[in-house]
Amino acid sequence: MGFFWWWKCRDGPRTGNPRGPHGAGWAGPTTLLCVYGFCSMMRPIEPFMTEFLSGPDKNFTTGQLTRQVYPVLTYSNILLLVPVLLVTDWLRYKPVIVLQALCNLLSFLLLLLGPRGDTAWARGALFVSSLGSVADVAYISYIYSLVPPQRYQRVTGYVRGALLLGYAAGATLGQLLVSVFAVALRRLFAVSVASLAAALAVALFLPMPKRSLREREMRGGSGADAVADAEEDPGCSVGPCRQAWARSRRAVRCAGRASQRLAADCVACYSSVAVAFFCVWFAAGRCGFYQVASYVQLLWLDQQPQHNFTAYNGAVDALATLSGSAASLAVGHISLDWALWGEVFLGGFTALISGALFLMNLTDSIWVSYVCYALFKALYMQLITVCTFQIAKSLRLERYALVFGLNSFLGTVLQTALTGVVINTRSLRLTLSSQVARGHTHMLQSHTHVHTQKHTHKQMYTHMHYQRHLNQRCSLKAARLETYT
């Protein structure tokens, strides 16, 4: 959900059209947006992207993909997220959706047509792809600007379902083409490009909203404010001048009120312990999910048998997506006292997710890893649904965008920090064997140093003991000599 400027700048009566701002109904734009979402996510190459990039077509090593190519997505997201969030409402969503479709298509073309082994080219393609991914904020925001609030729940289910169905269809098609028809991965890439081109064509036919959500909130103000603003300046006696002066004064006043409202809403939203708990899980869960999803194909590539093995990445992704969708729908119909048992439910299934990830790390069997990933993704989609409606039911409508936008931003910040520490930190870039070898070397060096120190201390102690004994004997002889004398 987009990070809209939802707050009011003035009070006034709302006048809503149940058929939307265009007066043309909500079914048409919703259908077009669902078709766009399906085509934009129907990418058969997606579950096999790492295999394609590390194969003979592009010839990247797993080290290059892990440390030089894939981290660009995370770093670009944190760089582009805030600017895109801020301009989405101002541009009224459709231009941002078109930009998203264009960036997705361009990034796939760059990866498909780029030279072999050129990491700079691949990083440029992923930077363009990240611009398309952060522009996803316009997807839900667009349909909310065209339909009345009483239809928000229904259209949200439609457009989210179209995304999941498109992803599952693309993964299933890719698996069938690879396993049954032995289609080369390059042709899967071409099919994905064709689907993204269709998504761009559909995006161009989306109707342009006449007003954004912010303007819908501001709608209903009378012209008396403009006249009052203009009368404050006696020099503005001409009509256009009075209107321009009134608009500028209203813009300044609106910005000030918006900043105050933003700060007040942040305090009001996150001061609730219940909301803060689910928000923390939302941000951390989003970080963990996208981090695992970004690098799981590299793990599968390492776990694959070396000879005559057909990867089933697409089947696993499709099964996990459909299972997660079914679990998300089922959890919405569970009669449970979430205020009492919500944290227990969340904690128990989070422990299962952690166990699945831990087992993926320990096992050398790709089949066990497949099962663990399917379980991980299905449970994550279920738990993120629980967090979403638990947060939403505790907030007013105008605060939805603020909270979910900030949660997504915090998740991206956490993912960026995690990527920077794990991937690019010198001490953590070592392989396991290198870390063990270096640790063993350090232990040997420490043991040798301690042993040398102990031997030196023993020699020093022996010398000091001998010197003290000699001094005592000399003193005793001197005392006896004085007594004899």
Side-chain angles (χ1 to χ4, degrees):
M1 193 178 294
F3 185 70
F4 320 125
W5 298 92
W6 63 91
W7 35 77
K8 291 184 181 180
C9 290
R10 65 179 66 84
D11 296 326
R14 296 186 184 182
T15 58
N17 185 357
R19 295 178 62 82
H22 295 281
W26 61 275
T30 303
T31 302
L32 281 176
L33 191 66
C34 288
V35 173
Y36 166 76
F38 179 87
C39 293
S40 65
M41 294 302 295
M42 212 282 289
R43 311 171 186 178
I45 191 61
E46 196 74 37
F48 305 96
M49 181 66 75
T50 298
E51 280 199 48
F52 174 78
L53 294 177
S54 61
D57 289 301
K58 296 303 171 185
N59 201 29
F60 290 112
T61 65
T62 56
Q64 288 176 322
L65 293 176
T66 303
R67 299 189 177 98
Q68 299 181 32
V69 178
Y70 284 166
V72 173
L73 278 174
T74 304
Y75 299 146
S76 302
N77 284 345
I78 196 65
L79 178 66
L80 299 171
L81 182 61
V82 174
V84 173
L85 289 174
L86 294 178
V87 303
T88 296
D89 188 77
W90 179 64
L91 294 176
R92 288 186 290 173
Y93 317 117
K94 179 185 174 178
V96 181
I97 293 177
V98 174
L99 175 66
Q100 180 188 39
L102 185 62
C103 289
N104 289 336
L105 178 60
L106 181 59
S107 64
F108 270 60
L109 286 174
L110 289 175
L111 287 175
L112 179 63
L113 304 177
R116 296 173 70 246
D118 191 341
T119 57
W121 189 281
R123 283 182 288 183
L126 291 188
F127 178 82
V128 176
S129 177
S130 68
L131 180 57
S133 65
V134 298
D136 188 59
V137 297
Y139 183 70
I140 293 293
S141 311
Y142 170 82
I143 200 62
Y144 285 169
S145 68
L146 291 176
V147 302
Q150 59 266 28
R151 298 196 184 272
Y152 280 2
Q153 182 176 356
R154 181 178 298 183
V155 298
T156 301
Y158 290 156
V159 295
R160 288 298 185 194
L163 290 177
L164 295 175
L165 184 60
Y167 189 87
T172 304
L173 177 61
Q175 189 63 61
L176 289 175
L177 292 176
V178 170
S179 302
V180 179
F181 301 101
V183 175
L185 295 181
R186 192 174 185 86
R187 294 188 179 181
L188 262 66
F189 221 106
V191 175
S192 303
V193 169
S195 179
L196 292 174
L200 177 60
V202 174
L204 294 174
F205 285 98
L206 289 171
M208 184 73 177
K210 291 183 178 179
R211 58 181 62 89
S212 65
L213 290 175
R214 177 183 61 86
E215 292 168 338
R216 288 175 63 173
E217 291 291 333
M218 293 172 57
R219 187 175 54 187
S222 64
D225 293 335
V227 175
D229 289 333
E231 287 177 351
E232 293 181 7
D233 186 4
C236 286
S237 58
V238 185
C241 178
R242 295 177 64 187
Q243 295 176 5
W245 173 257
R247 283 196 297 268
S248 63
R249 291 294 301 271
R250 285 200 305 271
V252 173
R253 190 164 58 245
C254 179
R257 292 177 182 176
S259 301
Q260 295 175 2
R261 184 69 178 273
L262 175 61
D265 278 353
C266 286
V267 173
C269 292
Y270 290 98
S271 60
S272 171
V273 177
V275 175
F277 172 80
F278 288 105
C279 286
V280 168
W281 198 99
F282 189 99
R286 186 181 188 277
C287 164
F289 174 76
Y290 284 105
Q291 192 74 9
V292 172
S294 299
Y295 295 96
V296 70
Q297 292 184 31
L298 288 166
L299 177 65
W300 290 341
L301 189 65
D302 183 65
Q303 292 174 338
Q304 285 180 8
Q306 298 298 322
H307 303 290
N308 298 326
F309 180 79
T310 300
Y312 289 91
N313 302 1
V316 173
D317 251 340
L319 179 63
T321 302
L322 294 176
S323 301
S325 303
S328 300
L329 292 175
V331 79
H333 296 83
I334 295 177
S335 297
L336 187 67
D337 186 0
W338 293 102
L340 180 62
W341 298 102
E343 296 181 11
V344 177
F345 183 89
L346 203 66
F349 281 100
T350 302
L352 286 179
I353 289 178
S354 303
L357 293 178
F358 189 68
L359 185 57
M360 285 176 64
N361 180 56
L362 292 180
T363 185
D364 291 328
S365 172
I366 191 172
W367 304 108
V368 176
S369 185
Y370 277 158
V371 173
C372 290
Y373 179 75
L375 179 65
F376 158 75
K377 187 171 183 179
L379 290 178
Y380 167 78
M381 294 176 68
Q382 182 183 30
L383 295 184
I384 203 70
T385 303
V386 172
C387 288
T388 300
F389 71 71
Q390 285 296 311
I391 294 171
K393 76 177 186 180
S394 304
L395 303 174
R396 296 203 306 265
L397 177 63
E398 65 270 17
R399 289 178 176 172
Y400 288 179
L402 170 67
V403 173
F404 287 112
L406 285 179
N407 290 343
S408 300
F409 178 73
L410 291 176
T412 306
V413 171
L414 288 175
Q415 188 184 359
T416 304
L418 183 63
T419 302
V421 170
V422 175
I423 301 300
N424 293 325
T425 302
R426 184 181 299 274
S427 60
L428 296 179
R429 287 178 60 181
L430 299 171
T431 62
L432 181 61
S433 59
S434 299
Q435 292 185 46
V436 172
R438 178 166 291 191
H440 181 62
T441 303
H442 288 170
M443 291 175 63
L444 288 177
Q445 291 176 349
S446 301
H447 177 73
T448 304
H449 180 64
V450 171
H451 179 73
T452 304
Q453 285 184 334
K454 287 183 178 179
H455 183 67
T456 305
H457 290 164
K458 184 177 181 180
Q459 289 180 339
M460 292 176 61
Y461 175 78
T462 304
H463 177 73
M464 291 173 62
H465 182 73
Y466 175 75
Q467 189 69 31
R468 184 182 301 170
H469 179 68
L470 184 62
N471 292 338
Q472 289 177 352
R473 290 185 63 184
C474 290
S475 300
L476 183 59
K477 287 183 178 180
R480 287 178 179 177
L481 183 61
E482 291 179 356
T483 303
Y484 178 77
T485 307

